[in-house]
Amino acid sequence: MRRFLLFIDSMILWLLLTWPFNQLWPYNIQSILVGVAISLLVTLIFGKRFSQRPIKWFEPQRYFWLILVYMPIFTLQCIKANVDVAYRVIHPKMPIKPGIVKVKTRLKSKIGRTVLANSITMTPGTLTVDIQDEYLYIHWIKVYAEDEENATRLIVKKFEWLLIKIFE
Amino acid sequence: MRELIGLIIIGIGVAFDFFGSFGLIRLPDVYNRLQAATKGVTVGTWGILIGVCVLSGFNSLGVKALLAVILIFFTSATGSHALGRGAHKSGIKLWKKSVCDKYEEDQ
């Protein structure tokens, strides 16, 4: 199951990278065959470590939350982050008050925590420095709350409920 | 029309790249500079790539540009975690006006 999924994924990646569909038919068969060979090789080497619970790949509601809800929210947050950083940089007095705070997450899976850390890095004014089990250490460019509960509420809650739906 | 939209998106991307680089020079310590570098430059580069995709249409070049957007999302954020963690482990202090450092307390 795992190996099959990894094969499909690496094949899709290969097809997108080489794009053999320029003429109508025949497609560029050589390119596709090389892709099959390389995907098989990758599958043989890394198949065991691919996914913790492969059944999650077959639940369509996860894709719904990922594509229709997470991606628009994330894009909006990214643009907000950029305007925020640009404002702080151009402002003559530089309104920053940096510090490292500690927050707690309820996510269990490794991929969920990874995506949470990446999302936090791309949202306004926060950057994940380290992760130890369920605690994340976050550099905040303007610290609004030093204690754990309030920092968690302000930083993590924006994405956590969504990532629980997608990855848990 | 399509050309105009693509060029506008590329222009916005270049502007964000500029602010990111400006922050890299102006902000005080390595962590703040990482913030500017990660956010500004990532979204600036996304703008340039999506502009290229709009200009060229949905063909070989455009699909590669979109793929690069996804890869940059993972690599740039991960790279900034690695840099920040490495800087902290090697003992670089936060800026003198920083308010708290919970990471230092927990070590």
Side-chain angles (χ1 to χ4, degrees), chain A residues 44-163:
Chain A
L44 283 179
I45 299 173
F46 295 109
K48 252 183 253 170
R49 317 185 173 178
F50 178 54
S51 179
Q52 287 173 328
R53 276 172 46 220
I55 192 73
K56 285 194 260 184
W57 286 74
F58 296 101
E59 294 170 352
Q61 75 271 24
R62 294 183 193 276
Y63 296 98
F64 164 77
W65 286 105
L66 177 69
I67 293 168
L68 289 180
V69 184
Y70 174 72
M71 281 184 176
I73 290 180
F74 179 74
T75 313
L76 202 72
Q77 291 287 344
C78 262
I79 293 167
K80 241 168 83 181
N82 273 275
V83 175
D84 182 71
V85 165
Y87 166 74
R88 288 182 202 285
V89 168
I90 313 169
H91 198 283
K93 283 182 193 150
M94 269 203 307
I96 61 173
K97 196 174 93 177
I100 293 181
V101 296
K102 181 180 181 183
V103 299
K104 192 177 179 214
T105 175
R106 284 185 288 140
L107 290 165
K108 295 281 187 299
S109 63
K110 281 180 186 168
I111 177 73
R113 283 178 185 167
T114 310
V115 175
L116 179 71
N118 279 6
S119 309
I120 286 173
T121 300
M122 301 306 292
T123 49
T126 48
L127 177 123
T128 313
V129 176
D130 200 359
I131 178 166
Q132 278 168 2
D133 298 331
E134 55 190 357
Y135 293 103
L136 285 96
Y137 296 93
I138 289 174
H139 182 268
W140 210 348
I141 204 164
K142 185 166 174 62
V143 176
Y144 289 104
E146 290 186 30
D147 59 313
E148 197 184 304
E149 289 87 41
N150 284 323
T152 304
R153 186 168 52 79
L154 285 168
I155 295 176
V156 178
K157 291 290 181 252
K158 271 181 284 187
F159 288 113
E160 198 180 42
W161 61 277
L162 207 50
L163 292 176

Side-chain angles (χ1 to χ4, degrees), chain A residues 94 96-99 139, chain B residues 26-32 92-101:
Chain A
M94 269 203 307
I96 61 173
K97 196 174 93 177
H139 182 268
Chain B
R26 192 147 185 248
L27 289 167
D29 69 350
V30 63
Y31 308 99
N32 290 310
I92 295 175
K93 296 279 176 247
L94 268 71
W95 187 39
K96 58 183 183 299
K97 286 182 193 162
S98 302
V99 286
C100 61
D101 189 352

Side-chain angles (χ1 to χ4, degrees), chain B residues 41-90:
Chain B
V41 175
T42 306
V43 176
T45 313
W46 284 357
I48 294 171
L49 288 170
I50 292 172
V52 166
C53 183
V54 171
L55 279 182
S56 75
F58 198 75
N59 55 19
S60 166
L61 184 63
V63 170
K64 283 191 187 73
L66 283 185
L67 210 58
V69 167
I70 300 171
L71 296 180
I72 283 179
F73 162 66
F74 282 105
T75 50
S76 100
T78 315
S80 76
H81 303 164
L83 283 173
R85 186 166 178 271
H88 206 285
K89 292 260 176 202
S90 61

